[in-house]
Amino acid sequence: NAGVTQTPKFQVLKTGQSMTLQCAQDMNHEYMSWYRQDPGMGLRLIHYSVGAGITDQGEVPNGYNVSRSTTEDFPLRLLSAAPSQTSVYFCASSYSKGRWGLRRYNEQFFGPGTRLTVL
Amino acid sequence: TQLLEQSPQFLSIQEGENLTVYCNSSSVFSSLQWYRQEPGEGPVLLVTVVTGGEVKKLKRLTFQFGDARKDSSLHITAAQPGDTGLYLCAGLNTDKLIFGTGTRLQVFP
């Protein structure tokens, strides 16, 4: 299994450009999420999805869109990049339910990250 | 917005020393996780604590969940250079995992 994969690893954008960060997982996880990591601020949740066709906002959703058309893929779109979006972006996945439908602890498997610079 | 504050923010110690990292919040969490992150990589789960007062050990690392499930600590005994990294706590609230601000640990030989 490849686990959680992210592309690209590095990206430089100009202000106002758009792009999509790709995320895929091959573990059949229901739950997927996007975080951004900035110095001194830990990881902040951008958007998450508890299953295909379902998405919801996290702590810092402004400026980002997501969709979840398949279990495997969870792309993050920046429609008009701004310098404040310069960050390292991590995608993660986890089981959201146990065998009997009980919620597990949402233990996350992270991808390797995408370092984005917006000039 | 729920906040998880970690202290200290930075820690530089010599090999063999002991240390404790704290994770505090005013909110109650159903469970709490600790992750370690190395440069250029994503965080990796170390442990999950669920019950108030619970203590879990992972070799030289001891994790404790506060009785009220609002705080946690990570104690490392006889630190080694391989323990160097960013340590993150994360509290679970329904579907969302809220991460702490992180503690960057450097262990010198």
Side-chain angles (χ1 to χ4, degrees), chain B residues 7 27 47 64 80 93-94 106 108:
Chain B
S7 61
S27 303
V47 77
Q64 184 162 7
Q80 298 178 0
N93 181 3
T94 56
Q106 178 121 36
F108 293 97

Side-chain angles (χ1 to χ4, degrees), chain A residues 1-9 20-29 32-34 71-76 89-93 109-114, chain B residues 42:
Chain A
N1 287 352
V4 179
T5 57
Q6 291 182 239
T7 56
K9 194 161 180 63
T20 299
L21 306 185
Q22 301 292 344
C23 174
Q25 53 92 8
D26 61 0
M27 297 175 282
N28 202 30
H29 285 169
M32 295 186 74
S33 52
W34 277 101
T71 299
E72 295 77 20
D73 301 296
F74 191 44
L76 178 72
Y89 291 85
F90 288 98
C91 178
S93 72
F109 292 80
F110 282 87
T114 294

Side-chain angles (χ1 to χ4, degrees), chain A residues 25-115:
Chain A
Q25 53 92 8
D26 61 0
M27 297 175 282
N28 202 30
H29 285 169
E30 296 179 348
Y31 186 105
M32 295 186 74
S33 52
W34 277 101
Y35 296 87
R36 60 177 289 173
Q37 186 172 36
D38 302 294
M41 302 191 75
L43 288 159
R44 290 183 292 169
L45 182 65
I46 304 172
H47 286 285
Y48 67 101
S49 168
V50 298
I54 306 169
T55 63
D56 208 343
Q57 295 182 350
E59 301 169 82
V60 289
N62 292 340
Y64 307 95
N65 282 349
V66 292
S67 60
R68 184 94 180 272
S69 56
T70 67
T71 299
E72 295 77 20
D73 301 296
F74 191 44
L76 178 72
R77 283 183 286 276
L78 285 71
L79 297 179
S80 180
S84 61
Q85 293 178 305
T86 293
S87 187
V88 181
Y89 291 85
F90 288 98
C91 178
S93 72
S94 73
Y95 296 107
S96 66
K97 292 181 180 178
R99 187 184 309 171
W100 297 282
L102 300 174
R103 293 228 174 252
R104 285 181 177 233
Y105 306 125
N106 214 356
E107 293 157 335
Q108 308 275 305
F109 292 80
F110 282 87
T114 294
R115 184 174 292 275

Side-chain angles (χ1 to χ4, degrees), chain B residues 2 8 13-15 17 20 24 26-27 29 34 40 42 57 60 62 70 83 86-87 89 92-93 100-101 103-104:
Chain B
Q2 295 174 301
I13 60 173
Q14 291 293 127
E15 182 176 2
E17 292 185 31
T20 302
N24 295 297
S26 58
S27 303
F29 294 100
W34 283 92
K57 292 192 175 183
R60 295 175 292 100
T62 301
K70 292 183 179 181
D83 296 326
L86 178 67
Y87 288 81
C89 64
L92 182 63
N93 181 3
T101 48
T103 294
R104 192 166 296 280

Side-chain angles (χ1 to χ4, degrees), chain B residues 55-67:
Chain B
V55 176
K56 279 192 175 178
K57 292 192 175 183
L58 188 66
K59 297 183 181 178
R60 295 175 292 100
L61 279 61
T62 301
F63 305 85
Q64 184 162 7
F65 202 10
D67 291 340

